[in-house]
Amino acid sequence: MKIDDLTISKSIIESYFNKFLTSLEVDAALVGAGPSNLIAGYYLAKAGMKSVIFESKLAPGGGMWGGAMMFNEGVIQSDALPIINELGISYNDRGGGYYTIDTIEATSTIISKCVRQGTIIFNLIKVTDVLFDEKNGAKRVTGLVLNWSPTEHLGLFVDPLSIKASYVVDGTGHPADICSIITKKIDAKLSTKTGSVIGEMSLRAEEGEQFTVSNTKMVFPGLYVVGMAANNVFGGPRMGPIFGGMIMSGKKAADIISSEFKNTKK
Ligand code: 48F
C-alpha cells in the first residue's frame, strides 16, 4: 500500500476532534488518571455512564507505575482481590492475605480495561478550574475547565475550554487539586470538619487504607473524591505502596455515582 502523509494527519485530526466533541457533555468527568479514577472509569462505563478522564501527564497511571521507592511491585490485600480477578491482573500470594502485583502489568491492564470498557482518557490536559451553577445561593459543580498541560509549564497566557458533566470526581491524588480550587475560587464549603481541605497525615497503612474507602463520597454538590485525594481532603493518613484501598475506592465512587444517576433517570 502507498502511504500518504496528509491522509495520516487528516485521520488523526478528525478522530481526535470527534472524540473531543463527544466528550463536551458527559455523565461523569474524572480528574486524574491514577489507579482510583481508572477503576472508577471502568465501573462507570460498565454501568452504562458516558465517562471521561482528563490526565495532565503524558502517561495515565499516576503513582502506580513506580510501586514503592521505584521497586515496581505493589501490595494488594485480600479485600481487593475480587476486583483484581475481574480485571485479570496476575498476583503472587505472599500468605496472610497479602498479594504482590507487578505494577507495570497492573497499571497497563487497568488503563486498558478502563478505555476498552468505554471511558475515554485524554492525556496532556490539565483541569485548571470548574464550571458551577448557583440556585438560591446553593452552588453545584457542573463541569470542568481544561487547558493543555504545557501551557502552564511554559507560562503561556492561553484561554481554556470547558466541558459539562453531571458528576465530577477529584482523583488527583495527594494534591486534591479540584477540592483546593473550589475552596479558593468559588468559596465552596466542603463536607469536611473544617469546610476546606484538611491535609494528609503521616503514613499508617492500616488506617489509611480504610480511610480512603470510607471517605470516598460526595464532598460538595456535584463533586466526589476518590483515592489519595479523599485522605488529603478529609485529613487521613497516607498508606504507601498498598493499592487495595485505591482500587476499592474507585469501585465505591462508581457505585455511588451510578446508583444516583439511575435514580435521577427514574
Ligand atoms: O496520585 P495518583 O496515582 O492518585 P490515586 O488514584 O492513587 C494514589 C497512589 O498512586 C499512591 C498512593 C497509594 O498507595 O498513595 O500515590 O489517588 O494519580 C493522580 C493523577 O492525577 C493527575 C496526576 O498527574 C496523576 O496522574 N492530576 C493531578 N492534578 C491534575 C491531574 C489536574 N489538575 N488535571 C489533570 N490531572
Side-chain angles (χ1 to χ4, degrees):
M1 154 187 166
K2 199 171 168 328
I3 306 281
D4 173 50
D5 295 302
L6 284 192
T7 306
I8 296 172
S9 299
K10 189 164 181 264
S11 304
I12 289 170
I13 294 166
E14 283 182 354
S15 305
Y16 186 84
F17 284 98
N18 283 338
K19 201 159 65 173
F20 210 171
L21 279 172
T22 63
S23 304
L24 284 184
E25 252 187 291
V26 293
D27 299 323
L30 280 49
V31 189
S36 55
N37 254 352
L38 288 165
I39 295 287
Y42 168 79
Y43 283 108
L44 286 168
K46 200 174 170 194
M49 290 182 68
K50 186 176 170 187
S51 310
V52 63
I53 302 182
F54 295 99
E55 166 56 50
S56 60
K57 298 217 167 106
L58 178 61
M64 202 173 189
W65 295 108
M69 218 181 85
M70 300 190 195
F71 300 175
N72 62 6
E73 290 281 321
V75 167
I76 294 282
Q77 62 275 48
S78 55
D79 305 334
L81 219 53
I83 302 171
I84 293 293
N85 281 326
E86 176 174 343
L87 298 178
I89 295 167
S90 0
Y91 51 83
N92 283 315
D93 189 345
R94 305 285 306 173
Y98 294 83
Y99 300 84
T100 51
I101 49 170
D102 175 316
T103 55
I104 305 297
E105 191 217 331
T107 313
S108 56
T109 303
I110 292 172
I111 296 167
S112 165
K113 290 281 179 183
C114 176
V115 175
R116 281 167 174 253
Q117 195 65 46
T119 290
I120 296 173
I121 301 179
F122 289 97
N123 58 345
L124 293 167
I125 293 184
K126 177 150 189 174
V127 177
T128 57
D129 201 351
V130 297
L131 297 180
F132 71 101
D133 271 356
E134 188 163 6
K135 279 191 197 116
N136 307 320
K139 293 173 186 150
R140 181 183 173 92
V141 172
T142 55
L144 298 174
V145 176
L146 317 168
N147 216 329
W148 297 118
S149 309
T151 55
E152 191 181 75
H153 293 300
L154 297 170
L156 305 175
F157 295 104
V158 177
D159 274 323
L161 289 172
S162 48
I163 65 141
K164 293 207 89 178
S166 307
Y167 303 91
V168 167
V169 183
D170 185 342
T172 60
H174 298 269
D177 235 6
I178 308 310
C179 293
S180 299
I181 287 170
I182 66 166
T183 56
K184 287 181 203 126
K185 293 196 175 178
I186 66 169
D187 195 25
K189 299 283 172 280
L190 307 179
S191 62
T192 62
K193 277 186 207 144
T194 59
S196 52
V197 174
I198 297 176
E200 104 188 18
M201 304 295 153
S202 293
L203 192 151
R204 286 178 82 195
E206 160 77 10
E207 204 186 312
E209 281 292 273
Q210 288 173 18
F211 196 95
T212 299
V213 181
S214 56
N215 288 283
T216 296
K217 55 188 173 188
M218 191 171 83
V219 65
F220 187 77
L223 178 66
Y224 294 74
V225 273
V226 281
M228 199 53 223
N231 293 48
N232 183 15
V233 169
F234 286 101
R238 66 180 306 183
M239 71 295 294
I242 177 160
F243 290 92
M246 296 298 123
I247 286 167
M248 291 186 284
S249 163
K251 180 164 190 318
K252 182 179 172 189
D255 289 347
I256 300 172
I257 293 169
S258 58
S259 77
E260 268 207 42
F261 181 69
K262 277 178 199 140
N263 287 338
T264 60
K265 298 279 162 198
K266 275 182 191 161

